[in-house]
Amino acid sequence: MKKTDYAVLLSLGALWGGSFLFMRMGAGAFGALPLAGLRAIGAALCFLPLLASRQRRAEWRAHWWPIAVVGLTNSALPFALFTFASRSLPAGLASIIDGITPMFAALVGWLWLGQRLDAWRSAGLVVGFAGVVWLAEGSLALGPGAGLALLAGVTATALYGYVVHYTHLRLAHVTPLVVTVGSHMVAALLLLPPTLLFWPAQTPPPQAWLAAAGLAVLCTALAYVLFFQVLARVGAARIMVIPYLIPAFGVLWGALLLGEPVSARMLGGCAVILLGTALTTGLIHARRKAPSLATGET
């Protein structure tokens, strides 16, 4: 990997970790559905020029239904659920919950597709979800809505785990950029009615608008363009570092920019979840078998 590739991976961790900062900043003023809608609509407008190619438009028309399912399960619903969660949960805690996505992907693969879970991956699921339970117990002290907010965040990550397999089964032969652009356009259409219906009576302050713009332009449109560029250069194996960077940056941005306290329980839960994720994705086991992971594909 080149230094620029490392820089892009760090940037992706910072951008997607920053999405929880922006959701926390804007959710109170806009409400969950309007902010999620602004994120999807803004990203779709940024993505629209990428469908200028006749070939990409043809792919979109040929596979619009599974792309629409991805738009619902990978964008519209998770955007709304995490934005709802961000009204009650600190940005750092919400980003840690996002870190369990690889574990849900393994669990869905086992339950739905019968994919084998060896002892290492099974242990990772147990360890990771134990970390979630530990965080859940601590989040109850945040207020009466924290438990429901945590459930919303976990549901969003479960949807992410599902869509990994759905995309592989139904859209593996479709250009990834077409899937991304098309699915965000679908999410924008799905979220437009509730965005208008639940639009806040009081005009949100400039800070909330900046947060919405950051979510749409930086954390969604720019992040996905960078993701596909670096994926083409370094491969899927090295991309797996990103789920470990998102919680770290989420906690960092929340502490630095919002003054959120970082408790021992939060750090401990984050460490346990990341350990479970490393076991579930095979990262720890792979390194034991192939110490040269940094210099070659697996």
Side-chain angles (χ1 to χ4, degrees):
M1 288 175 57
K2 299 179 180 179
K3 291 182 179 179
T4 54
D5 295 327
Y6 286 110
V8 172
L9 290 175
L10 283 172
S11 298
L12 284 170
L15 287 170
W16 278 327
S19 66
F20 299 94
L21 167 72
F22 289 136
M23 284 188 282
R24 182 68 171 166
M25 291 171 57
F30 280 106
L33 289 173
L35 183 58
L38 287 176
R39 179 180 185 179
I41 293 167
L45 291 174
C46 292
F47 282 138
L48 194 58
L50 299 179
L51 278 183
S53 164
R54 181 178 300 178
Q55 179 182 353
R56 290 173 180 170
R57 292 199 304 271
E59 278 193 280
W60 155 246
R61 288 193 297 268
H63 305 283
W64 69 270
W65 175 249
I67 290 176
V69 173
V70 173
L72 174 66
T73 56
N74 192 60
S75 297
L77 288 176
F79 285 178
L81 288 167
F82 263 126
T83 307
F84 170 78
S86 296
R87 301 188 67 177
S88 302
L89 299 181
L93 181 56
S95 69
I96 293 172
I97 297 303
D98 182 72
I100 67 175
T101 298
M103 291 187 294
F104 268 117
L107 185 61
V108 170
W110 174 56
L111 294 174
W112 181 22
L113 302 175
Q115 293 180 351
R116 180 175 174 271
L117 287 176
D118 59 20
W120 284 92
R121 286 175 169 80
S122 300
L125 288 175
V126 173
V127 170
F129 286 115
V132 174
V133 172
W134 190 17
L135 286 178
E137 291 180 351
S139 69
L140 297 178
L142 297 174
L148 187 59
L150 189 71
L151 179 62
V154 171
T155 303
T157 60
L159 288 170
Y160 286 147
Y162 160 79
V163 82
V164 167
H165 299 286
Y166 181 85
T167 304
H168 179 72
L169 290 173
R170 299 293 303 274
L171 295 165
H173 55 291
V174 180
T175 304
L177 191 61
V178 172
V179 177
T180 297
V181 175
S183 63
H184 280 88
M185 292 176 67
V186 169
L189 292 174
L190 291 173
L191 288 172
L192 179 59
T195 297
L196 298 175
L197 182 62
F198 294 100
W199 191 259
Q202 185 175 356
T203 302
Q207 181 183 11
W209 282 102
L210 288 174
L215 274 173
V217 178
L218 299 178
C219 302
T220 308
L222 175 61
Y224 270 106
V225 171
L226 290 176
F227 175 79
F228 287 120
Q229 287 180 348
V230 75
L231 176 63
R233 291 196 301 268
V234 308
R238 295 190 179 99
I239 282 290
M240 287 307 299
V241 71
I242 296 176
Y244 301 91
L245 295 174
I246 293 174
F249 276 105
V251 172
L252 178 65
W253 297 144
L256 290 180
L257 301 178
L258 297 179
E260 293 180 353
V262 181
S263 66
R265 179 184 288 269
M266 183 184 295
L267 291 178
C270 183
V272 172
I273 288 173
L274 291 181
L275 174 61
T277 303
L279 289 167
T280 304
T281 57
L283 180 63
I284 291 179
H285 199 199
R287 285 189 170 179
R288 289 184 62 193
K289 288 184 175 180
S292 59
L293 180 62
T295 59
E297 292 290 333
T298 57

